[in-house]
Amino acid sequence: MKIFFLIGITLIGLTQAKDWWENGNFYQIYPRSFKDSNGDGVGDLNGIAEKLPYLKEIGIAGAWLSPIFKSPMVDFGYDIADYRVIHPEFGTMEDFKNLIKKAKEIGMKIFLDFVPNHTSDESEWFKKSVQRIEPYTDYYIWHDGIIDENGERKPPTNWVSAFRYSAWEWNEDRKQYYLHQFAIKQPDLNYRNPKVVTEMKNVIKFWLDIGVDGFRIDAVPYMFEIEADKNGNYPDEPINENCPNPDDNCHTKKIYTQDQIETYDMIYQWRELCDEYKKEHGGDTRILFTEAYTSLENEIRYYGDGKRNGSHVAFNFELISYTNMGSTAADFNKHIDSWLNKIPKDVIANWVLGNHDNHRLASRYGPARTDLFNIMLNTLPGNAITYNGEEIGMTDVWISWEDSVDPQACNTDPDRYYAVSRDPARTPFQWDASNLAGFSSSTNSWLPVAKNYTINNVLMQSRSPVSHLQVFKKLTKLRQEPAFQTKTLNEKIVHNNVLLYRREGKGDNYIIVLNFGKNSETINLKEKFPSITNKVEIITTSIQSKYTDGEIVDATKFVAEGEVGTVVVSV
Ligand code: GLC
């Protein structure tokens, strides 16, 4: 009996081995800007396929591609005209299949961007909905509008689009308003229509059949709006007094247009679909990443409700949303804790420091702190998410108001567009010092290449023994060590403007030292972490540090230099 019991325990131990996605560093590719293979100034699928070995070499577990589907490109692919067709600028379905094949050959996972909230107004679904052709009539949210006291027609509610101005647009053909929570050309789908739910599940299955490993799900909190009342009307949202301009998105509090309870169930249904797919077809777990800028409480619900599972990786935007250049070690400590303490014990943490919607890491926190943040991203427990270019410390590129193409910038006034423009973080990837940074053989790229490309590019950094890229590679390798595979952060300490934490596993004892301040601090690491040895070895450190990798230093007098991050290990 006892023997059976012991065998049982061992088996449970074995079956609980980590799933492939649990500790990966996942990489976001912005396809328009990654690599152009045909010289038209726009990145494409063959370009991505060509660079897969690079991703493998720098230790990436899988990459998600911002949308590659047929699109008028009003929101650069987030306005989809056909979920099943590859946008010609990116290539063909054959190219995509070839990309998947190559990725599988080298053990790289590929995820697609699934954009469920809206289509393009150039989608056949929308065109048929305008004409009330069944079954499309109610695929979108339509309303007659209201007639005001002067007999004028007005939008049904005060709802404001994320890109400014009314979220309702009049359609002259159907003689009704439709809802668009983003650009006018991005009509919101109606998830209260079961046909839309089925339709979108079929889209997921379509791409799973082609061999993708999962999806990043876009703009999740926007999927549902409050249900219309019995007369088909919707309520106004309360006004935010701190944001007086009615055209600004912040003018209304999003209690009826975001974070509706039904959203979570939809994510659970998609999770079920992916789990079922694995059961039926075998292969590795297909995973879901969810993009939701929302409260931590809501964020947690995407993981599941205790009975049903949801997202595998609910993007953690705590650091991106609440920290900046001036944030202190105490601030980072607080936001790391708030996430780690709130997520359910059985889920995997994740850390996001950059994406195509935010200013670049090096510009947000200062170029000198590029390595410090990459060290933090890669040494915290769980998944790390890297936006293309952050591994070499690419910076934002200034783009004039006249040259801006991002709809979020173009809908804003010239005197304040820069704060919201997403173009600066979307410029072409810097591969080498040749024409257009080796991104394209064309004379022009769709967004300008950063001027510093001759001194900041992959080729140069891979040839140099000391570079952001070398630090990054060390880190992705380090993540494979047992100490970084656990869910726990051992002690974590704030010392002035330095954040220190310990990761331990299989006899290895690592300390991570992150000095957010400008001044050096001499710290007795041994006193702070009694379990380490008196002497420690430098595993990796920011490029400007006076320490070198492999150097053995005195842990009792460790100099944490300003804006430097370092990983050391007990020897
Ligand atoms: C997501 C995308 C963003 C896009 C928006 C509308 O937030 O990341 O780029 O504009 O959704 O699809």
Side-chain angles (χ1 to χ4, degrees):
M1 186 65 184
K2 223 177 193 171
I3 289 172
F4 281 122
F5 182 68
L6 280 176
I7 291 174
I9 295 279
T10 318
L11 283 179
I12 288 171
L14 285 178
T15 51
Q16 280 175 345
K18 277 191 185 304
D19 203 349
W20 66 266
W21 57 272
E22 295 191 9
N23 258 89
N25 184 321
F26 296 116
Y27 192 86
Q28 177 189 355
I29 292 178
Y30 195 68
R32 292 184 69 81
S33 293
F34 196 56
K35 173 73 189 167
D36 171 19
S37 74
N38 63 352
D40 64 356
V42 176
D44 48 47
L45 294 173
N46 288 339
I48 297 173
E50 179 191 322
K51 295 297 182 184
L52 287 177
Y54 164 74
L55 298 185
K56 186 76 187 169
E57 192 201 318
I58 66 167
I60 297 300
W64 63 271
L65 317 183
S66 281
I68 53 167
F69 318 103
K70 187 174 169 204
S71 163
M73 292 286 157
V74 162
D75 192 16
F76 298 100
Y78 285 93
D79 47 321
I80 298 172
D82 193 328
Y83 289 105
R84 292 177 174 83
V85 174
I86 302 287
H87 184 67
E89 270 179 315
F90 294 135
T92 61
M93 185 58 97
E94 255 347 276
D95 296 336
F96 184 69
K97 287 182 178 165
N98 173 48
L99 168 69
I100 293 283
K101 186 167 160 271
K102 282 200 162 157
K104 288 200 193 304
E105 276 163 20
I106 61 167
M108 174 79 48
K109 305 288 183 187
I110 297 289
F111 316 107
L112 286 179
D113 210 319
F114 180 59
V115 185
N117 179 65
H118 44 266
T119 65
S120 159
D121 65 347
E122 295 182 27
S123 155
E124 286 304 309
W125 300 352
F126 186 74
K127 289 186 195 158
K128 288 180 178 150
S129 192
V130 166
Q131 292 164 42
R132 298 180 196 262
I133 297 174
E134 289 305 342
Y136 300 100
T137 309
D138 294 325
Y139 264 39
Y140 297 84
I141 319 263
W142 292 100
H143 195 282
D144 292 339
I146 49 179
I147 304 298
D148 70 9
E149 53 284 7
N150 306 322
E152 305 251 334
R153 191 177 51 229
K154 281 193 346 186
T157 65
N158 66 351
W159 299 353
V160 191
S161 144
F163 293 160
R164 295 187 88 219
Y165 305 113
S166 175
W168 296 98
E169 181 70 11
W170 179 254
N171 180 278
E172 201 37 50
D173 292 336
R174 178 153 157 160
K175 305 250 176 299
Q176 276 192 313
Y177 285 95
Y178 65 87
L179 180 70
H180 61 90
Q181 292 222 51
F182 291 89
I184 289 172
K185 283 179 72 66
Q186 289 171 301
D188 271 43
L189 284 163
N190 174 14
Y191 278 84
R192 297 190 186 279
N193 179 348
K195 289 179 191 135
V196 169
V197 173
T198 309
E199 192 80 80
M200 293 308 275
K201 283 186 179 167
N202 289 339
V203 172
I204 294 180
K205 285 190 213 144
F206 174 84
W207 289 105
L208 287 175
D209 282 344
I210 287 182
V212 305
D213 299 290
F215 302 88
R216 173 260 189 193
I217 311 179
D218 181 73
V220 175
Y222 298 83
M223 269 194 313
F224 280 85
E225 294 71 36
I226 188 173
E227 199 165 4
D229 68 15
K230 58 178 182 341
N231 300 318
N233 292 326
Y234 299 101
D236 275 347
E237 287 187 321
I239 303 300
N240 179 359
E241 304 298 343
N242 300 325
C243 182
N245 186 342
D247 292 338
D248 284 345
N249 177 256
C250 56
H251 184 62
T252 49
K253 297 184 183 162
K254 314 295 178 211
I255 61 170
Y256 302 133
T257 53
Q258 285 185 37
D259 302 317
Q260 304 299 296
I261 189 87
E262 295 86 347
T263 319
Y264 306 100
D265 175 66
M266 203 60 251
I267 296 294
Y268 304 160
Q269 289 191 39
W270 291 336
R271 168 65 181 261
E272 235 162 73
L273 194 162
C274 288
D275 289 350
E276 281 301 311
Y277 195 90
K278 180 182 173 182
K279 270 194 210 142
E280 281 171 27
H281 298 82
D284 290 343
T285 306
R286 299 351 181 245
I287 68 168
L288 298 179
F289 300 82
T290 39
E291 187 224 18
Y293 291 88
T294 183
S295 69
L296 205 49
E297 286 67 28
N298 289 339
E299 189 70 30
I300 303 308
R301 300 169 80 171
Y302 285 115
Y303 279 116
D305 62 0
K307 294 187 201 87
R308 299 164 75 196
N309 287 323
S311 179
H312 296 79
V313 183
F315 283 147
N316 169 6
F317 293 131
E318 288 295 289
L319 299 174
I320 253 193
S321 303
Y322 304 115
T323 65
N324 55 38
M325 193 86 90
S327 301
T328 62
D331 296 330
F332 284 99
N333 186 47
K334 183 174 103 193
H335 292 296
I336 290 171
D337 274 350
S338 58
W339 171 264
L340 283 180
N341 296 338
K342 282 219 172 114
I343 55 169
K345 291 286 160 277
D346 57 334
V347 309
I348 306 293
N350 79 86
W351 311 93
V352 182
L353 285 175
N355 58 35
H356 67 299
D357 292 329
N358 285 280
H359 291 290
R360 280 199 175 272
L361 187 160
S363 298
R364 218 163 350 106
Y365 297 118
R369 297 199 260 180
T370 298
D371 302 313
L372 179 150
F373 281 97
N374 277 333
I375 291 174
M376 176 164 105
L377 183 77
N378 281 288
T379 54
L380 288 170
N383 296 125
I385 316 288
T386 298
Y387 176 51
N388 58 197
E390 306 296 38
E391 72 276 26
I392 57 164
M394 277 178 62
T395 45
D396 281 357
V397 176
W398 181 80
I399 290 164
S400 71
W401 158 253
E402 290 74 24
D403 290 339
S404 293
V405 290
D406 173 19
Q408 183 157 278
C410 299
N411 270 357
T412 310
D413 310 325
D415 56 337
R416 55 182 186 143
Y417 82 97
Y418 204 72
V420 298
S421 178
R422 299 170 298 175
D423 293 330
R426 297 177 174 180
T427 60
F429 195 92
Q430 292 154 221
W431 292 105
D432 57 40
S434 69
N435 180 58
L436 294 182
F439 161 71
S440 169
S441 60
S442 163
T443 43
N444 265 313
S445 47
W446 77 284
L447 278 179
V449 168
K451 289 208 174 64
N452 70 355
Y453 79 91
T454 48
I455 50 161
N456 190 20
N457 59 62
V458 165
L459 184 64
M460 227 165 173
Q461 293 201 20
S462 58
R463 285 181 177 164
S464 161
V466 180
S467 69
H468 299 312
L469 191 62
Q470 304 294 8
V471 174
F472 188 86
K473 277 158 83 174
K474 277 248 159 116
L475 291 166
T476 50
K477 206 157 164 229
L478 186 66
R479 294 172 58 78
Q480 314 294 324
E481 295 297 322
F484 294 92
Q485 304 278 316
T486 66
K487 282 187 183 174
T488 41
L489 204 50
N490 302 95
E491 306 94 291
K492 181 156 56 56
I493 295 165
V494 174
H495 172 94
N496 298 331
N497 214 352
V498 186
L499 180 67
L500 304 118
Y501 47 86
R502 194 168 73 84
R503 303 293 309 268
E504 188 187 343
K506 290 248 167 81
D508 286 332
N509 209 357
Y510 292 91
I511 306 294
I512 292 86
V513 184
L514 307 171
N515 186 351
F516 296 95
K518 288 214 184 302
N519 303 325
S520 280
E521 305 261 1
T522 302
I523 305 175
N524 185 341
L525 296 180
K526 177 72 188 164
E527 192 183 273
K528 306 252 181 227
F529 303 96
S531 67
I532 63 164
T533 45
N534 281 330
K535 300 237 179 255
V536 289
E537 181 188 332
I538 306 286
I539 294 294
T540 190
T541 182
S542 300
I543 57 171
Q544 72 270 35
S545 170
K546 70 177 175 47
Y547 290 129
T548 47
D549 296 3
E551 190 179 341
I552 306 290
V553 301
D554 186 345
T556 66
K557 290 191 218 108
F558 184 84
V559 182
E561 300 151 89
E563 302 193 311
V564 161
T566 311
V567 183
V568 301
V569 69
S570 274
V571 286

